[in-house]
Structure formats: structure tokens, C-alpha cells
Amino acid sequence: MVKSYFPFDTRHPNPDILPVPSRLQRGLRATFLGMAINVILGGLKLAAGIIGRSHALIADAIESFADIFNSIIVWRGIVVADTPADEDHPYGHSKAEPLAATFGAVMLVAAAIWIVTKAAIEIQQPHGSPKWFTLVVLVIVIVTKEALFRFVHHEAESTDNSAVRTDAWHHRSDAITSLAAFIGISIAIVGGRNYSWADDAAAMFASIIIGWNGWRLLMPAMNELMDTAPAPEIIARIRQLASETEGVASVEKCFVRKAGHLFFVEMHVEVDPQMTVLRSHEIAHAVKDNVRSQMHNVSDVLVHIEPIGIAARAAASRLAN
């Protein structure tokens, strides 16, 4: 059985896999659900934070509203990424996904900086302990946000959508800040006025976790925008499929770049130098069809034909000189 590196769908026709609109619809469903829940929970946290005198809860609410803005960017990113190739964008628009993912990751880092800065200022100012009912609100938020994270993250992994993946981690970061706020508020309530600082200390601790997650998500998105090569096993699989194609003597070069959930391949294959141009042309198409049929998210394969041994002779000539 051929190992499947891409369990998600593709753009080119294949009746054995899900159609492309399914991927877009799943991404939009996860994004819109997150936006609706953030509106509800953000308003609840802000009201409870103001009435209940909790700085951590107010900071948490502001982050939820920032998540709504991030979700709007993700929404537009996955819609643009699904737009077919055109004259101005012959390779399609799939890089809109890592672009939206980069924005989302930067937003996480910015939220962490904002929270830690605000908490550092507030912790120096004496204030009353938060009210007990803020804990009830936080329990609701933690459970809801963790469940939302698991759903959105599953959709992101199933469709290999980096933009939706960062959106999922925004939900997880919200759950983390709420958990930290719960611990800090609990300490402040039990300890009384002398421990009111625990509320802000919890917000500072949560911001460190949020910032780390933002940085962790930023690197893959930036690598994708910079056309960093994918995992070695993916390249190895492509080379294997090409070399197994009838008429191919060897694969001399293979370059792969990722854009959204799609892969674009450029390779040099060596063939018998005595064959006709027509036959070498047929082999190039066979290589392309073989790779795309076995690896569904390979969007295109550009094949350059070379006579057997020409690369080795060129390398020997360079060494001799």
C-alpha cells in the first residue's frame, strides 16, 4: 500500500478524495464558529471583569476581541487562497494562507507583550480583590475555549491549513490566560487584599505562554513564505515516484516548495540520449501524472529532461578545472 502523505484534498480532479469546496467550507465553518463564540465570551468577560474588579479578566476579554480581528484575517486568507490561478497569479493564490497565519502569529506575540506590560503596571498599584463570581465566568470560558481549540485544530490538521491552525491556537491561548486568571483570582480572593497582586501575576505568566506559542507558529508560516523545502520524506517520496516511472534512468535534481496546502515540484530526470524528443516528452508527462496521482496535494510538476550522464560529466569537468 502506498503511504499517504496528504490525507486532505487537492485542486486537480480525483473522484477518490474530497472536492476542493469541502476544504474551504471546513475552514470557514471553524473560523466563523470561533468568531461567534469570541463575541459572546469577550462581552461576558469584559462585563465580569469590570464589575468584578479583575484586571486579568479584562485583559482576557480584550484578547478575545483581538481574536475576532484575527479570525477576520484568517477568513479572508482562506477565501483568497482558494481562488483559482489567473493571469496575474499563474501559481494560484494559496500563499494567502501562510500570509494570514503569519499575521495571526504576530498578533499572538503582540497580545502577549500588551498583557505583560499592562499587568506589570497594574501589579504596582494597590487595588481590591476580584469578586467570587468572576471564577464562574472563567470556568465557562476555559471549558468552552478548550473545546473550541480542539475542534478548530482538528479541522486545521485535517485540511493542512496553517491560517486556521493559528486561529486554533488563539483559542488555546485564550483558555490559558483564563486558567491563569482563575488561579490568580482564587489566590487573591482567599488571601484578601494583601494578595490582590496575584491577579496581575497570573496575567503576566499567561502572556509568556501566549508569546511562546505565537513565536512557535510564526516560524513555519515564515518558512513557507520563504519557500523553505518541505520535510525530507516528502521530497524522497516524490523522487521515488519519478524514478519508478518507465523510461526514467534517474532523478538528478528535485526542488519542492509549499504554498498553503499545495506543493509545486521542479525536477531534472535523466533518460536515454538516443530516444526521440517525442518519447522524452511522453516520459516527462508520465512523471508528472505519476507523482500527482499518488500525492494528491502536489499541484504541478515541472520536468526537465537530460541525457544520462550529462550531469556527472559536467561535475567532473568542474572538478578538473
Side-chain angles (χ1 to χ4, degrees), residues 302-319:
L302 180 63
V303 182
H304 174 74
I305 297 294
E306 292 187 354
I308 297 174
I310 191 172
R313 290 195 295 272
S317 176
R318 286 194 299 269
L319 289 175

Side-chain angles (χ1 to χ4, degrees), residues 58-257:
I58 293 174
D60 205 9
I62 293 175
E63 190 200 356
S64 290
F65 291 129
D67 286 348
I68 297 172
F69 181 63
N70 176 74
S71 293
I72 293 174
I73 299 298
V74 170
W75 162 42
R76 294 311 306 160
I78 61 180
V79 169
V80 171
D82 194 67
T83 306
D86 54 35
E87 186 176 346
D88 293 328
H89 304 86
Y91 290 99
H93 302 77
S94 52
K95 280 202 173 183
E97 281 182 13
L99 189 61
T102 299
F103 178 85
V106 170
M107 286 282 289
L108 278 173
V109 175
I113 295 173
W114 181 86
I115 291 172
V116 74
T117 301
K118 187 174 186 304
I121 296 173
E122 296 289 349
I123 202 171
Q124 303 176 50
Q125 302 174 1
H127 51 79
S129 299
K131 301 295 184 178
W132 66 268
F133 61 80
T134 57
L135 297 177
V136 177
V137 173
L138 286 170
V139 169
I140 296 173
V141 171
I142 293 169
V143 173
T144 303
K145 277 293 190 172
E146 181 61 23
L148 184 60
F149 162 77
R150 292 175 184 271
F151 170 73
V152 177
H153 191 261
H154 175 267
E155 295 296 279
E157 293 300 316
S158 298
T159 58
D160 189 35
N161 195 318
S162 58
V164 176
R165 189 178 294 115
T166 59
D167 204 30
W169 277 98
H170 273 270
H171 299 311
R172 168 59 69 83
S173 71
D174 214 356
I176 292 172
T177 55
S178 296
L179 178 61
F182 181 89
I183 296 172
I185 291 172
S186 298
I187 294 174
I189 291 175
V190 174
R193 193 175 188 85
N194 291 334
Y195 287 87
S196 60
W197 54 265
D199 180 32
D200 299 307
M204 295 176 68
F205 175 76
S207 68
I208 296 174
I209 300 176
I210 295 170
W212 179 82
N213 278 322
W215 179 258
R216 184 177 63 85
L217 292 167
L218 179 62
M219 290 300 98
M222 289 295 294
N223 287 339
E224 196 170 318
L225 290 173
M226 293 295 294
D227 288 335
T228 302
E233 57 266 25
I234 294 177
I235 299 177
R237 177 61 176 157
I238 293 173
R239 293 182 70 102
Q240 177 189 355
L241 290 170
S243 63
E244 291 174 351
T245 304
E246 183 180 357
V248 174
S250 66
V251 177
E252 196 258 319
K253 295 177 182 177
C254 183
F255 304 106
V256 184
R257 59 188 178 88

Side-chain angles (χ1 to χ4, degrees), residues 222-297:
M222 289 295 294
N223 287 339
E224 196 170 318
L225 290 173
M226 293 295 294
D227 288 335
T228 302
E233 57 266 25
I234 294 177
I235 299 177
R237 177 61 176 157
I238 293 173
R239 293 182 70 102
Q240 177 189 355
L241 290 170
S243 63
E244 291 174 351
T245 304
E246 183 180 357
V248 174
S250 66
V251 177
E252 196 258 319
K253 295 177 182 177
C254 183
F255 304 106
V256 184
R257 59 188 178 88
K258 187 172 185 286
H261 71 298
L262 301 175
F263 288 82
F264 295 85
V265 181
E266 298 177 14
M267 63 170 57
H268 291 198
V269 300
E270 294 186 324
V271 300
D272 183 351
Q274 301 304 317
M275 69 173 52
T276 64
V277 173
L278 176 61
R279 177 56 184 148
S280 63
H281 174 76
E282 291 172 345
I283 291 174
H285 272 278
V287 169
K288 177 178 179 178
D289 293 341
N290 191 26
V291 173
R292 294 180 76 220
S293 66
Q294 297 296 320
M295 304 181 75
H296 298 147
N297 270 54

